[in-house]
Amino acid sequence: MAARVLVIGSGGREHTLAWKLAQSLHVKQVLVAPGNAGTACSGKISNAAVSVDDHAVLAQFCKDEKIEFVVVGPEAPLAAGIVGNLTCAGIRCFGPTAQAAQLESSKKFAKEFMDRNGIPTAQWRAFTKPEDACSFIMSANFPALVVKASGLAAGKGVIVAKNKEEACKAVREIMQEKSFGAAGETVVVEEFLDGEEVSCLCFTDGKTVAPMPPAQDHKRLLDGDEGPNTGGMGAYCPTPQVPKDLLLKIKDTILQRTVDGMKQEGVPYTGILYAGIMLTKDGPKVLEFNCRFGDPECQVILPLLKSDLYEVIRSTLDGQLSASLPVWLENHTAITVVMASKGYPGAYSKGVEITGFPEAQALGLQVFHAGTALKDGRVVTSGGRVLTVTAVQENLVSACDEARKGLAVIKFEGAVYRKDIGFRAVAFLQRPRGLTYKESGVDIAAGNLLVKKIQPLAKATSRPGCSVDLGGFAGLFDLKAAGFKDPLLASGTDGVGTKLKIAQLCSKHDTIGQDLVAMCVNDILAQGAEPLFFLDYFSCGKLDLSTTEAVIAGIAGACRQAGCALLGGETAEMPDMYPPGEYDLAGFAVGAMERDQKLPQLERIVEGDVVVGVASSGLHSNGFSLVRKIVARSSLQYSSPAPDGCGDQTLGDLLLTPTRIYSHSLLPVIRSGRVKALAHITGGGLLENIPRVLPQKLGVDLDAGTWRIPKVFSWLQQEGQLSEEEMARTFNCGVGAALVVSKDQTDQILRDIQQHQEEAWVIGNVVACPKDSPRVRVKNLIETMQVNGSVVSNGFLRSKKARVAVLISGTGSNLQALIDSTRDPKSSSHIVVVISNKAGVAGLDKAEKAGIPTRVINHKLYKNRVEFDNAVDHVLEEFSIDVVCLAGFMRILSGPFVRKWDGKMLNIHPSLLPSFKGSNAHEQVLEAGVTITGCTVHFVAEDVDAGQIILQEAVPVKRGDTVATLSERVKVAEHKIFPAALQLVASGAVRLGEDGKIHWVREQ
């Protein structure tokens, strides 16, 4: 691979970007425009003499130089629309559009956006008249001491005043004296926030957010944060003031919320999102947004990036960031110090020679150029901030020491730099202070607030025998008040297993509580017990109130459904025990039954008794480690639409369907005395749970054809290629509970169960079980699942739908027709991936809107057709593809690829083959003067447009037809016959025989 990349800009940030990109094995050359002395000629890196302001000229330059993508460093080109203009010209560009970049280019826009989307920020008002701004400053009910130019001001348009008078002076300077030019036509007046300021950046593809390690900039010119404001005099990364749990909170409440908000408002945001954040006593709040890497933050963040920056950017441009999340260097700190010209940020001289670069390199330091130029073979100063010296070490103090060595060897007359970069972090790490429980990671106040929030939820579960009042050391239950005369107690405890993982990945916490309650109360119900009270245990590394409240609200709702009281529980906040965002659950249920109603009644169970199955709601809460493995290997994600026949929901929602609670519906049936045993089909599936309620010498024979198996089980079996025994030993397979009853009581039992809105069936019989024989035998399980997940078409049965890949190069002219047709329940196929050799094309958008995974395989990155085809074939194998459809795919496929997919790959051609082959069929038709043309779906062969014909549709050529008008009518026919041909092949009605001819299984 030999990619060429263009970086826009001339500062230290751009030198750092070029330096990191040049490390990629995929990159042949990095051009920088206009660049500086550091990027002029350094290995793969060189400068490009092209205008970055004239986007038409720049686009032509990129085409001439075969630039794969452009990376924009500074904010001004982004605000000027460089991304949109280059994209329209067919040049990929990394960064947000001008509309999205308003987050930085307009402080007013950014503040209004944050207010709309609930993103924490300072109180504020915007003004276009200085007198109105000053009036507000003097009368505001908060310290309105921060004055900002709303537009772009090179990172210097913010004044933090010490008092109201100084704030009004700042308004006049910005609005009347035009200290920041047109950027100050509107000013934003903000509340002064007290705290520590940090920079939190992320990569985003418009959906996924990948945070970078947090950094801290130093804006003031002189040590101790004295002197005038600058563009930044140094930075360090990561900041110890932002631990992992706080960074996760910033990601969720600020970065992800911003990206989601922009998407919802129709302005997708891609590229780098930079949030300047103040860590206040009330939590992190946004000071401002930037739409690109900070300078000098870039110089400390990218040296810590272990991943290939080229690959990260390409994944972001392809919309596939979630599949290629960046990896960062752990347990290391980077520090960079800016060396500036004398007089900066005011007037300064240029042309001063700089020396010491070889000595700094020998020390293992990175020197990133900014305001430098080449003059007569020498490096000289040409800007205010001249260069930065970056050191990476295992800790901050060591990094500071190494950077100082570099400052000592890099020399130019009048150099100005700070000697205390990182001083806040050093002070934070070395501060003498007594520890608190909260600083150790346990927030008692948050725990107390949680109890206050859930008290009414628990109170609502009170029942005879118990009035819930949280806060005591223990809960009490009065069995006599509950109406029991000679009771036995039953207790059960359980968890939810790795179903929790899916809930946490989907950020769906409101149903998992029902799973916990159901697993416990269904177990004690199997003993004949009425659930009386429930206790929960919730453990996490860091308490998130909204998540915990959602989980416990689900538990309380399930307790009401089960008729038991939520008598108490334990919330354990245990720092370092769980990764951020993860938690665990356990539950404990106590119930009671009269002594003569205890189950199972083993002495009553005899050969010939009937097994009644009660429907499950789905997977319930068992087997999820296997489920997660199957999903990981499938083509679906948890956010994908659920498999066919599983309802209009996502796969994640399907899998999180809560476990059914049976106490309300089955307890009256049990108390009728007609039930001899009840088995809760939980971990261990049908094979392990039914024997738990049978005498030793008896077993059961079950027939899976007698009950309804939800289609999720068919999908799991087919995707995982699971054996019959594995299915029956792992999952409930549609039976949540099994009752053993006398044969003559069966009809009454079924009526009683169905009267309580449960679905039930006779599913088997109790049989004698010789020693060492299986206690549970299930027949027709796989066959029933295959029928359940199958499509009957043309009079014969397919065990599952054919998995289809569609290859496109642009709009995918027939893609939508294929998508629509395969969504029909009668379709024999479903599209599982769309592959394009070009990024950013309309066909990919169609696929994503339909929830179909996409892959971009850029043919330009491969030496020849065979290498490219091998990459495509790898994806086809990854998705277990059965049929390939070419829909406007503008690449000629290699012989080995075509031979491998012989009889499995379809193409459509806009003529009635064998007439008018080739890429200009409509022109040939019009030139020949024929009156009939059409389209042809055929199997792909090595010779172009020469494969066996599956279907054809005739289209008349009208007098006065042009290529455009004829093309539109032929497309209508294409949309009709391409899906029809796919159905024929996917259903097996048509196939390519060994003789190379079409074979019809049944005449159509």
Side-chain angles (χ1 to χ4, degrees):
M1 298 186 187
R4 306 181 81 212
V5 179
L6 175 64
V7 175
I8 302 295
S10 61
R13 165 182 50 216
E14 289 73 37
H15 187 184
T16 310
L17 284 164
W19 166 79
K20 194 66 182 177
L21 284 165
Q23 294 175 6
S24 173
L25 297 176
H26 302 292
V27 174
K28 175 183 180 181
Q29 186 179 20
V30 182
L31 298 178
V32 186
N36 53 46
T39 58
C41 188
S42 176
K44 294 181 181 179
I45 306 170
S46 58
N47 291 339
V50 61
S51 169
V52 298
D53 298 322
D54 188 329
H55 299 165
V57 170
L58 184 62
Q60 189 58 51
F61 171 85
C62 291
K63 292 176 182 178
D64 294 342
E65 296 295 327
K66 295 181 172 55
I67 299 297
E68 182 178 339
F69 58 72
V70 176
V71 180
V72 184
E75 63 275 20
L78 293 171
I82 189 172
V83 173
N85 291 336
L86 289 185
T87 302
C88 287
I91 308 300
R92 307 187 81 190
C93 194
F94 180 68
T97 62
Q99 195 175 2
Q102 288 181 97
L103 283 175
E104 178 173 6
S105 62
S106 172
K107 302 290 189 296
K108 182 173 182 287
F109 172 88
K111 298 294 282 191
E112 289 172 342
F113 172 83
M114 285 186 270
D115 286 350
R116 286 195 302 272
N117 289 277
I119 297 166
T121 187
Q123 299 178 74
W124 69 285
R125 285 278 299 277
F127 300 94
T128 56
K129 295 180 179 180
E131 57 271 21
D132 293 344
C134 291
S135 176
F136 176 75
I137 289 168
M138 301 307 291
S139 61
N141 60 0
F142 56 84
L145 301 177
V146 180
V147 182
K148 297 181 176 180
S150 181
L152 294 177
K156 302 172 187 175
V158 180
I159 297 174
V160 182
K162 295 177 181 177
N163 51 53
K164 294 181 178 182
E165 291 73 21
E166 192 174 306
C168 288
K169 180 184 176 184
V171 168
R172 289 189 290 270
E173 288 177 353
I174 294 174
M175 302 192 78
Q176 294 176 333
E177 300 174 20
K178 305 292 184 183
S179 56
F180 298 117
E185 290 177 358
T186 298
V187 296
V188 170
V189 177
E190 279 187 11
E191 168 192 14
F192 173 78
L193 296 178
D194 190 24
E196 191 92 15
E197 186 175 347
V198 294
S199 304
C200 292
L201 291 79
C202 68
F203 293 99
T204 180
D205 59 2
K207 300 170 290 188
T208 301
V209 162
M212 305 179 197
Q216 188 172 65
D217 186 12
H218 298 64
K219 286 291 189 185
R220 298 286 183 172
L221 179 70
L222 305 176
D223 288 352
D225 278 346
E226 298 292 335
N229 207 24
T230 71
M233 292 301 293
Y236 65 93
C237 177
T239 55
Q241 301 93 320
V242 183
K244 288 183 178 179
D245 61 331
L246 180 56
L247 184 59
L248 179 65
K249 182 176 182 179
I250 290 169
K251 176 198 171 188
D252 292 342
T253 62
I254 295 174
L255 300 175
Q256 188 70 59
R257 197 172 291 177
T258 301
V259 171
D260 291 345
M262 293 294 280
K263 183 179 179 182
Q264 289 165 9
E265 294 188 9
V267 189
Y269 188 104
T270 60
I272 303 295
L273 179 63
Y274 169 146
I277 288 171
M278 185 69 80
L279 305 178
T280 75
K281 60 181 177 58
D282 298 319
K285 294 187 177 183
V286 177
L287 295 172
E288 64 177 1
F289 285 119
N290 293 325
C291 295
R292 35 68 192 181
F293 271 111
D295 187 340
E297 289 93 340
C298 185
Q299 289 92 306
V300 289
I301 292 174
L302 287 186
L304 298 179
L305 178 63
K306 287 178 67 176
S307 301
D308 184 325
L309 179 60
Y310 168 87
E311 292 180 355
V312 174
I313 291 176
R314 190 173 66 175
S315 297
T316 303
L317 290 171
D318 291 344
Q320 301 292 329
L321 182 58
S322 61
S324 183
L325 293 174
V327 178
W328 301 92
L329 192 63
E330 298 279 353
N331 303 316
H332 283 74
T333 296
I335 187 167
T336 196
V337 182
V338 173
M339 298 184 75
S341 297
K342 183 179 179 180
Y344 175 79
Y348 50 83
S349 57
K350 300 180 181 180
V352 179
E353 184 177 3
I354 312 167
T355 61
F357 295 112
E359 291 83 352
Q361 186 176 8
L363 292 169
L365 303 170
Q366 290 296 331
V367 178
F368 296 116
H369 292 239
T372 65
L374 289 174
K375 183 178 181 181
D376 301 328
R378 298 174 297 127
V379 178
V380 299
T381 65
S382 66
R385 291 192 295 168
V386 177
L387 53 83
T388 65
V389 178
T390 300
V392 178
Q393 292 291 319
E394 292 182 357
N395 58 67
L396 180 62
V397 173
S398 298
C400 290
D401 292 342
E402 290 302 305
R404 289 191 189 101
K405 293 177 184 177
L407 297 169
V409 299
I410 299 284
K411 299 182 184 298
F412 61 91
E413 186 179 343
V416 177
Y417 55 87
R418 286 181 60 160
K419 304 176 184 65
D420 66 343
I421 301 299
F423 76 96
R424 291 192 197 89
V426 173
F428 179 85
L429 294 169
Q430 296 178 347
R431 68 198 187 287
R433 59 189 181 88
L435 288 173
T436 66
Y437 207 11
K438 184 175 182 179
E439 288 168 338
S440 299
V442 179
D443 192 338
I444 295 175
N448 291 338
L449 180 58
L450 175 65
V451 172
K452 187 175 180 180
K453 284 175 172 287
I454 64 176
Q455 272 180 329
L457 301 175
K459 186 74 173 176
T461 67
S462 296
R463 53 153 291 159
C466 175
S467 179
V468 177
D469 188 14
L470 300 183
F473 287 102
L476 301 176
F477 194 94
D478 187 340
L479 281 170
K480 188 176 291 186
F484 289 93
K485 298 173 182 177
D486 184 22
L488 289 174
L489 292 180
S491 65
T493 185
D494 211 335
V496 185
T498 57
K499 189 173 187 178
L500 279 174
K501 284 277 192 184
I502 298 176
Q504 289 158 10
L505 284 169
C506 296
S507 295
K508 184 175 175 59
H509 311 288
D510 56 342
T511 59
I512 207 76
Q514 178 170 328
D515 290 300
L516 184 68
V517 174
M519 295 300 286
C520 296
V521 300
N522 289 345
D523 277 353
I524 64 174
L525 185 67
Q527 302 294 148
E530 173 189 349
L532 301 179
F533 62 86
F534 187 84
L535 303 171
D536 72 271
Y537 176 82
F538 180 99
S539 57
C540 59
K542 181 68 176 177
L543 192 63
D544 181 282
L545 285 177
S546 61
T547 297
T548 312
E549 185 180 0
V551 172
I552 296 178
I555 292 172
C559 284
R560 290 196 302 275
Q561 185 180 336
C564 62
L566 179 55
L567 196 54
E570 167 72 4
T571 301
E573 190 174 22
M574 299 185 288
D576 305 324
M577 287 290 289
Y578 299 92
E582 292 193 6
Y583 58 85
D584 200 3
L585 285 176
F588 180 82
V590 172
M593 82 294 292
E594 297 296 349
R595 194 175 300 271
D596 60 356
Q597 293 179 337
K598 177 175 71 73
L599 293 181
Q601 298 174 0
L602 297 178
E603 70 284 354
R604 293 179 59 200
I605 300 174
V606 297
E607 186 177 351
D609 280 343
V610 169
V611 182
V612 173
V614 184
S616 68
S617 57
L619 291 170
H620 285 187
S621 299
N622 301 108
F624 273 86
S625 294
L626 177 56
V627 170
R628 288 167 48 241
K629 183 69 72 175
I630 291 171
V631 173
R633 291 183 176 181
S634 79
S635 62
L636 299 185
Q637 300 171 341
Y638 293 115
S639 58
S640 302
D644 291 337
C646 294
D648 186 17
Q649 58 185 324
T650 66
L651 176 60
D653 288 338
L654 171 68
L655 298 178
L656 290 173
T657 301
T659 306
R660 192 181 296 279
I661 295 173
Y662 295 111
S663 53
H664 176 72
S665 55
L666 295 188
L667 196 59
V669 181
I670 292 170
R671 286 180 171 170
S672 72
R674 298 186 181 97
V675 177
K676 300 180 180 182
L678 186 156
H680 177 207
I681 311 303
T682 177
L686 296 166
L687 301 189
E688 301 288 342
N689 286 290
I690 296 177
R692 296 165 70 178
V693 299
L694 295 176
Q696 192 62 39
K697 294 183 180 181
L698 295 178
V700 296
D701 282 348
L702 306 179
D703 183 352
T706 60
W707 74 82
R708 180 182 60 83
I709 301 179
K711 289 198 174 182
V712 65
F713 294 104
S714 303
W715 181 78
L716 288 167
Q717 189 275 322
Q718 291 169 2
E719 283 290 332
Q721 293 297 296
L722 304 183
S723 67
E724 190 166 69
E725 182 178 9
E726 194 68 31
M727 288 297 300
R729 193 180 298 280
T730 306
F731 301 116
N732 65 59
C733 299
V735 178
L739 284 63
V740 178
V741 302
S742 297
K743 188 174 183 178
D744 60 355
Q745 298 285 338
T746 301
D747 291 343
Q748 184 61 50
I749 290 288
L750 288 173
R751 283 195 296 271
D752 291 346
I753 294 174
Q754 290 161 0
Q755 185 179 349
H756 289 90
Q757 311 305 312
E758 296 285 2
E759 192 177 2
W761 321 268
V762 173
I763 64 172
N765 298 283
V766 176
V767 297
C769 183
K771 188 178 181 181
D772 297 328
S773 295
R775 303 285 303 282
V776 178
R777 292 181 296 190
V778 186
K779 66 179 182 179
N780 299 322
L781 183 59
I782 295 298
E783 293 87 343
T784 303
M785 287 184 178
Q786 288 177 340
V787 171
N788 191 36
S790 70
V791 177
V792 177
S793 178
N794 303 321
F796 62 94
L797 187 68
R798 287 187 55 87
S799 63
K800 64 174 184 176
K801 291 195 173 190
R803 298 170 64 82
V804 177
V806 182
L807 273 57
I808 65 172
S809 292
T811 59
S813 53
N814 287 286
L815 176 59
Q816 193 62 54
L818 293 171
I819 291 173
D820 293 342
S821 70
T822 55
R823 282 180 165 173
D824 188 322
K826 297 178 181 178
S827 172
S828 297
S829 62
H830 63 135
I831 300 171
V832 297
V833 67
V834 172
I835 303 171
S836 174
N837 65 309
K838 295 180 180 179
V841 296
L844 295 174
D845 293 335
K846 292 177 185 176
E848 289 178 3
K849 286 179 182 176
I852 300 170
T854 60
R855 293 288 189 273
V856 176
I857 305 175
N858 187 344
H859 61 277
K860 295 179 181 179
L861 300 179
Y862 299 87
K863 294 178 181 177
N864 51 52
R865 275 194 294 155
V866 172
E867 283 194 9
F868 171 72
D869 290 353
N870 286 341
V872 174
D873 187 59
H874 179 75
V875 175
L876 299 180
E877 294 289 351
E878 175 190 343
F879 282 87
S880 303
I881 295 303
D882 300 310
V883 181
V884 179
C885 291
L886 308 184
F889 184 65
M890 306 304 291
R891 301 290 302 167
I892 296 176
L893 296 164
S894 63
F897 184 90
V898 172
R899 287 192 294 274
K900 177 175 179 178
W901 291 94
D902 189 34
K904 302 175 185 176
M905 185 158 51
L906 283 62
N907 186 36
I908 190 161
H909 183 74
S911 77
L912 294 175
L913 292 175
S915 300
F916 309 120
K917 297 180 180 181
S919 60
N920 59 343
H922 296 312
E923 287 91 336
Q924 294 179 57
V925 166
L926 294 174
E927 188 175 330
V930 297
T931 58
I932 294 290
T933 183
C935 52
T936 304
V937 183
H938 61 93
F939 286 112
V940 176
E942 288 190 60
D943 292 335
V944 175
D945 300 331
Q948 288 289 299
I949 294 170
I950 303 168
L951 283 180
Q952 291 184 313
E953 180 86 1
V955 174
V957 181
K958 296 183 178 180
R959 187 179 303 166
D961 255 339
T962 64
V963 169
T965 59
L966 181 60
S967 173
E968 285 305 310
R969 287 206 311 287
V970 171
K971 279 181 184 176
V972 174
E974 289 179 3
H975 296 341
K976 175 183 174 184
I977 69 164
F978 206 166
L982 173 60
Q983 173 68 8
L984 290 172
V985 174
S987 66
V990 167
R991 63 181 178 85
L992 191 65
E994 293 182 4
D995 58 358
K997 303 295 183 183
I998 288 282
H999 287 248
W1000 291 80
V1001 175
R1002 175 169 295 201
E1003 193 66 35
Q1004 299 302 303

